[in-house]
Amino acid sequence: MKSKLVLLFLSLSLIGFSQNNPKPKLVVGIVVDQMRTDYIYRYWSRYGEGGFKRLVNDGFFCKNTHYNYVPTYTGPGHSSIYTGAAPNVHGIIANDWFVKETGVETYCVSDDKVKPIGTTSKNGKMSPHKQLTTTLGDELKLFTNGKSKVYGVALKDRSSVLPVGHAGNAAFWFDEETGNFVSSDWYVKELPLWLNNFNAKKLPKSYLERGWNTLYGIETYTNSIVDDNKYEKAPNKKEKPVFPYDYKSQIENNSWGILKATPWGNTITKDIAIECLKNESMGKDDISDMLCISFSSTDYVGHSYGLRAVETEDVYLRLDKDLEELLKTLDAEVGQENYVVFLTADHGAADVAAYLKDLKIPAGYLKEKNIEKELKSFCKKLYGDSLIVNMSNQQVFLSSVKLTELKLNSDEVEKALANKLIQMEGISEAYPSSVLKFEGYKGDSFKSLIANGYNHKRSGNVAFSYMPGWLDIPETGTTHGSEFTYDTHVPLIFYGGGIKKGESVRNYYITEIAPTISILLNNPFPNGCTSKPIEEVLKK
Ligand code: ZN
Ligand code: ZN
Ligand code: ZN
């Protein structure tokens, strides 16, 4: 009886919610690639009033939001934000992974069956077909019988394709061979006219002609360490990692890829998002639309220079300006109360390990290739064969053919390898697949994060993780991918119609974004969604 009353109360309050708050005409998802939560605070005094500060001050800031799985990479991150599920369900277990059936590695959005549109390069052969569940956009399309408009824009193909999902109108991404934004025939037969016109403007060239200098006097970048330091490496390796940067030689060589590691990569993403919004008349009627935007340049800059660099500070200060322009355009085109924005990140990032070591903080470097070599010789000694067919994303894949041939018990081999792994330097945990597949976990143990990232069909025989602060990269720049808070803790801000003002320190998971947006839209949740909506952000 009591539970029936609670249910009645719950459904009444949901009805009350939907009556008082008309559903948004437009949802804008913003993912800032590699943004750590502390970038909100570290650069706070440097941001203007109209970008990050506007979202935080007038929206709802979930200050304690985390990824609930490993690996914390771009492909799985974007998938989880828009599907409300972890890789164990949506199947995007990494950016690239080893396919057991074929014995070759595959990229999360590559698709040989589709044709590139707007380019002849293989960079256009992308689709979401490896993503096993629906996204927010897919559910919008289903709910409105295709009438909702769903678009995605990003420099990175995976950051545009995975959010839009299977049934969206189109994903557009940057083709560094031509310097154009392109798509595939999964979505469209040809690029829309507005995009052809956009590409004809050759914005990558005009942006790169500006070079890159700091937005403000370099002496004001006191939230960062000195510009010229040994922990950074410019993407063009010959160059010193110091301001000002000049891109004349890249322009002469048509090397448009350099755009990715400059703030202009974000600016052009803002430009195309605004073009898409206006030309596709998004948010103009009562049928809700969705625009998925991902800013990738923050990730390329972070990888090259690390998280204490003047370059990183500057790319955020400039992104703040791009956000301000985007929000102003939304106000003008859609109206402040008619749209809802969420801003988050696909993962955080680790400090440069060499920098931590210099501060006497535990950290280190290892190489997965060396671990593989050591494990292979271990197997050879024990079983007469190296047995390992692939090592990737901190997982070991064994040859099932060899295991059968040699009449080996795979559970025992996996256990022996896990035991060997945890004795190695820089490795903290290792689990045989049987543990990840069949044991239950409570809470946020690292083991449960590994299990949430473990897909029964696609993942390997043994999964392991590094020690906190340990990285598998050269000694400059940084990366991400681990289960530690520096990689899992990301900002999450909701803003706009139907959203309360406020903040919370409750622990939320990235998979709770999709059901929250679904509730705002009165829409079914994405079909693999494993999480509940975040109630405290919604106006009652
Ligand atoms: Zn990323
Ligand atoms: Zn520098
Ligand atoms: Zn990255």
Side-chain angles (χ1 to χ4, degrees):
M1 186 61 199
K2 209 173 178 184
S3 63
K4 270 192 187 159
L5 274 176
V6 170
L7 264 180
L8 181 69
F9 173 75
L10 264 177
S11 41
L12 279 176
S13 60
L14 282 180
I15 292 165
F17 166 75
S18 60
Q19 278 169 348
N20 295 335
N21 298 283
K23 59 180 189 174
K25 294 182 174 184
L26 177 67
V27 177
V28 182
I30 301 175
V31 181
V32 182
D33 205 311
Q34 204 188 107
M35 183 170 185
R36 293 162 49 105
T37 305
D38 65 328
Y39 292 163
I40 295 280
Y41 309 116
R42 269 180 56 210
Y43 308 139
W44 183 260
S45 64
R46 309 272 280 160
Y47 291 138
E49 294 302 317
F52 286 113
K53 273 190 177 172
R54 176 175 169 190
L55 294 176
V56 170
N57 290 336
D58 298 336
F60 197 99
F61 185 14
C62 301
K63 299 166 83 169
N64 187 18
T65 304
H66 290 261
Y67 277 83
N68 54 349
Y69 63 83
V70 282
T72 38
Y73 292 150
T74 299
H78 282 79
S79 239
S80 298
I81 292 165
Y82 286 89
T83 64
N88 60 338
V89 181
H90 63 58
I92 304 299
I93 56 169
N95 291 334
D96 302 89
W97 65 85
F98 176 75
V99 182
K100 290 181 261 192
E101 294 78 14
T102 59
V104 289
E105 287 213 3
T106 194
Y107 175 55
C108 59
V109 290
S110 66
D111 188 346
D112 281 338
K113 293 201 180 78
V114 300
K115 283 197 202 77
I117 299 292
T119 179
T120 50
S121 156
K122 67 174 183 358
N123 296 342
K125 290 168 76 72
M126 303 293 162
S127 90
H129 79 286
K130 290 168 199 159
Q131 183 166 258
L132 304 174
T133 63
T134 62
T135 62
L136 282 169
D138 285 330
E139 293 298 333
L140 254 183
K141 280 287 190 186
L142 285 167
F143 191 74
T144 63
N145 301 314
K147 292 193 212 66
S148 287
K149 293 164 192 159
V150 178
Y151 285 94
V153 294
L155 292 183
K156 291 185 185 177
D157 43 30
R158 59 188 179 279
S159 308
S160 180
V161 167
L162 295 169
V164 162
H166 308 79
N169 293 68
F172 303 119
W173 59 91
F174 185 65
D175 168 29
E176 54 180 276
E177 270 183 41
T178 55
N180 287 338
F181 278 83
V182 301
S183 191
S184 81
D185 74 348
W186 178 278
Y187 308 100
V188 289
K189 296 266 175 294
E190 54 186 14
L191 293 185
L193 181 65
W194 66 262
L195 184 52
N196 279 326
N197 292 338
F198 181 87
N199 285 332
K201 286 193 232 166
K202 303 264 176 244
L203 288 178
K205 182 166 182 276
S206 35
Y207 279 131
L208 288 173
E209 276 166 354
R210 297 182 189 180
W212 181 15
N213 206 347
T214 50
L215 183 60
Y216 305 113
I218 198 155
E219 72 287 350
T220 64
Y221 285 67
T222 50
N223 295 314
S224 304
I225 58 176
V226 58
D227 182 20
D228 190 4
N229 67 70
K230 62 176 176 167
Y231 310 112
E232 303 178 356
K233 187 170 255 171
N236 163 15
K237 304 205 163 51
K238 287 167 275 175
E239 206 171 14
K240 257 179 103 110
V242 292
F243 285 102
Y245 292 91
D246 176 288
Y247 304 114
K248 275 196 196 84
S249 64
Q250 282 94 345
I251 295 170
E252 276 162 21
N253 299 328
N254 296 316
S255 303
W256 306 116
I258 191 66
L259 189 78
K260 300 189 293 185
T262 76
W264 309 124
N266 287 336
T267 301
I268 200 170
T269 305
K270 174 267 299 170
D271 293 337
I272 185 181
I274 289 175
E275 287 298 310
C276 185
L277 175 83
K278 288 183 177 169
N279 287 285
E280 299 296 345
S281 308
M282 299 182 78
K284 293 284 187 199
D285 58 23
D286 289 334
I287 301 160
S288 303
D289 301 325
M290 179 150 202
L291 181 58
C292 316
I293 308 169
S294 184
F295 290 106
S296 311
S297 289
T298 38
D299 182 66
Y300 292 106
V301 169
H303 278 292
S304 294
Y305 303 97
L307 39 108
R308 313 280 160 203
V310 174
E311 286 84 349
T312 300
E313 182 172 348
D314 197 68
V315 85
Y316 278 91
L317 298 186
R318 289 177 183 275
L319 174 62
D320 187 54
K321 302 263 176 251
D322 291 327
L323 285 176
E324 178 171 350
E325 189 184 335
L326 181 68
L327 293 172
K328 273 192 186 147
T329 310
L330 287 167
D331 295 342
E333 294 291 318
V334 186
Q336 239 185 81
E337 278 305 301
N338 297 326
Y339 68 87
V340 64
V341 169
F342 69 82
L343 181 144
T344 189
D346 55 346
H347 48 75
D351 252 297
V352 178
Y355 177 70
L356 291 185
K357 282 165 75 171
D358 287 348
L359 293 174
K360 300 179 200 144
I361 295 171
Y365 291 97
L366 42 66
K367 284 208 166 15
E368 203 171 52
K369 278 280 152 232
N370 295 343
I371 299 169
E372 182 176 355
K373 245 187 245 162
E374 206 172 327
L375 287 186
K376 276 183 169 166
S377 66
F378 172 78
C379 286
K380 197 138 204 189
K381 251 185 231 156
L382 217 58
Y383 309 110
D385 189 281
S386 67
L387 295 179
I388 295 164
V389 285
N390 179 270
M391 258 192 52
S392 49
N393 307 306
Q394 287 150 254
Q395 298 203 348
V396 184
F397 291 80
L398 297 172
S399 160
S400 53
V401 177
K402 284 277 165 63
L403 287 171
T404 315
E405 259 177 33
L406 296 167
K407 296 193 177 65
L408 291 166
N409 176 321
S410 67
D411 283 350
E412 277 166 25
V413 177
E414 288 180 6
K415 232 183 203 163
L417 284 172
N419 274 321
K420 173 75 185 162
L421 275 160
I422 48 181
Q423 289 161 34
M424 291 180 175
E425 196 190 22
I427 291 176
S428 61
E429 302 188 43
Y431 300 100
S433 68
S434 58
V435 170
L436 301 170
K437 283 175 184 163
F438 305 123
E439 285 184 15
Y441 308 99
K442 282 212 178 90
D444 301 331
S445 65
F446 292 137
K447 202 196 278 184
S448 76
L449 268 66
I450 298 173
N452 287 342
Y454 190 91
N455 186 279
H456 287 206
K457 296 225 164 30
R458 293 178 177 172
S459 296
N461 294 81
V462 181
F464 59 96
S465 42
Y466 302 150
M467 306 272 284
W470 283 66
L471 305 175
D472 175 14
I473 52 165
E475 297 203 6
T476 50
T478 191
T479 194
H480 49 83
S482 82
E483 66 273 54
F484 302 112
T485 52
Y486 49 79
D487 284 336
T488 64
H489 193 189
V490 290
L492 173 59
I493 310 164
F494 292 91
Y495 170 90
I499 301 296
K500 265 195 237 162
K501 262 190 206 186
E503 59 174 42
S504 173
V505 293
R506 271 189 219 163
N507 184 190
Y508 290 118
Y509 293 121
I510 207 73
T511 49
E512 289 169 304
I513 298 171
T516 306
I517 295 295
S518 303
I519 287 285
L520 269 174
L521 294 169
N522 301 334
N523 246 39
F525 294 178
N527 63 10
C529 179
T530 54
S531 289
K532 296 181 297 296
I534 304 175
E535 229 184 300
E536 61 176 334
V537 312
L538 302 172
K539 268 188 197 159
K540 287 275 154 53

